[in-house]
Amino acid sequence: MRAGFKGRKEENALYEKISTADMSREEWLRLRKTGIGGSDAGAVCGLHPYSSPMKVFYDKTSDEMEDADSEAARIGRDLEDYVAKRFMEASGFKVRRSNYMYRSVEHPFMIADVDRLVVGEDAGLECKTASAYSADKWKDGNIPLHYAMQCYHYMAVLNKKTWYIAAAVLGRGFTYRKLVWDDALIAGLIEAEKDFWCGHVVSGILPDPDGSRACDEVLDQYFHTARMTEPLKLAGFDEKLFRFRIFCAAQLCANWCLQTARPERLWRNSTKM
């Protein structure tokens, strides 16, 4: 799946770099199919509110070049520079564009297309925008879990010990956080992504349905004649239910850890949230 994209390895051979400076949008979309990116990480772990493992599987294995440019996505892309500038003002750091896609040498199924790198620091920056309706998700030092997984994914690929995430909450204020390397969390993330890539994408085995809207959309693509009113027999349902309960407990634990175990968390508001 990596054919046609040539990169160069860094001296430390931790990752290879593929230039995106002169790459067309179609080429960039095709490149994204060759691995799990940061925005896929939360979905693979079952933590993304608008995606699912099944959706990521379909995106990676189908011939379609999904380029859904929603209004929210357009706003986020257009305001990326603004968020980066606000971060520099609030933090005192300088940031720069990368213009590369990074691929882990040890785990070549892991790729990263980062927003910014922090100049003079072993760190990167992820830029986000959020509607006023999502302001509560950023209160009290919180970070939406799928965004946190995105940052840890980037740390794993680029071997960066720190990643910042900055968010402009439209009409409400600006905030940023600092995430630091966590051995256990990143090891678990790598293992989860490896299991997904090898166990599903490479083998061509569709992940189990999880009842999400994103999952329903993929099923509709695969089975155009399926009707929601028809009963569906699920083999091994009891086992899957047990796994789901374990997952819920793990998710609650991860959320608690993100909120309590990082004294480095930063909070900056230009206006009161």
Side-chain angles (χ1 to χ4, degrees), residues 22-239:
D22 299 318
M23 191 173 288
S24 69
R25 180 71 175 174
E26 183 178 349
E27 289 174 325
W28 180 80
L29 290 170
R30 191 181 304 116
L31 177 58
R32 289 182 72 247
K33 285 182 173 288
T34 67
I36 298 172
S39 58
D40 302 319
V44 168
C45 295
L47 299 173
H48 201 300
Y50 309 115
S51 189
S52 69
M54 186 178 285
K55 185 177 187 304
V56 176
F57 171 85
Y58 183 75
D59 290 344
K60 303 304 178 184
T61 59
S62 72
D63 293 329
E64 295 182 13
M65 295 293 174
E66 183 180 9
D67 192 13
D69 198 12
S70 66
E71 184 64 18
R74 173 67 186 271
I75 291 173
R77 187 172 66 251
D78 290 350
L79 293 182
E80 184 179 302
D81 278 341
Y82 170 77
V83 175
K85 290 177 182 177
R86 290 293 301 272
F87 172 77
M88 289 191 288
E89 292 173 3
S91 68
F93 291 122
K94 299 293 184 183
V95 300
R96 64 175 178 84
R97 291 182 180 274
S98 166
N99 294 322
Y100 284 98
M101 181 79 81
Y102 300 86
R103 185 186 300 279
S104 169
V105 171
E106 183 177 1
H107 309 290
F109 54 86
M110 298 179 70
I111 59 177
D113 187 7
V114 305
D115 287 342
R116 297 291 188 278
L117 295 175
V118 181
V119 177
E121 297 286 328
D122 189 26
L125 170 68
E126 177 65 20
C127 301
K128 298 296 184 185
T129 56
S131 70
Y133 300 105
S134 301
D136 61 319
K137 297 178 181 179
W138 294 90
K139 280 185 176 181
D140 303 323
N142 288 328
I143 305 172
L145 278 176
H146 60 298
Y147 290 160
M149 293 301 104
Q150 183 174 4
C151 294
Y152 283 117
H153 173 94
Y154 292 153
M155 281 190 263
V157 175
L158 277 72
N159 197 38
K160 298 289 186 184
K161 302 308 178 185
T162 303
W163 212 269
Y164 294 92
I165 181 167
V169 183
L170 303 180
R172 301 292 293 275
F174 172 82
T175 185
Y176 75 90
R177 314 275 192 270
K178 178 182 179 181
L179 294 93
V180 297
W181 184 280
D182 184 308
D183 284 333
L185 193 155
I186 289 176
L189 177 61
I190 292 173
E191 191 64 24
E193 293 187 16
K194 180 180 179 180
D195 287 348
F196 174 82
W197 190 261
C198 297
H200 295 289
V201 177
V202 174
S203 65
I205 299 174
L206 189 70
D208 294 332
D210 58 11
S212 66
R213 178 178 296 182
C215 176
D216 289 343
E217 291 174 354
V218 173
L219 288 173
D220 187 56
Q221 291 289 332
Y222 269 90
F223 309 108
H224 295 286
T225 59
R227 299 179 182 275
M228 296 299 293
T229 56
E230 294 179 353
L232 177 64
K233 294 182 179 180
L234 298 178
F237 176 77
D238 290 340
E239 179 185 353

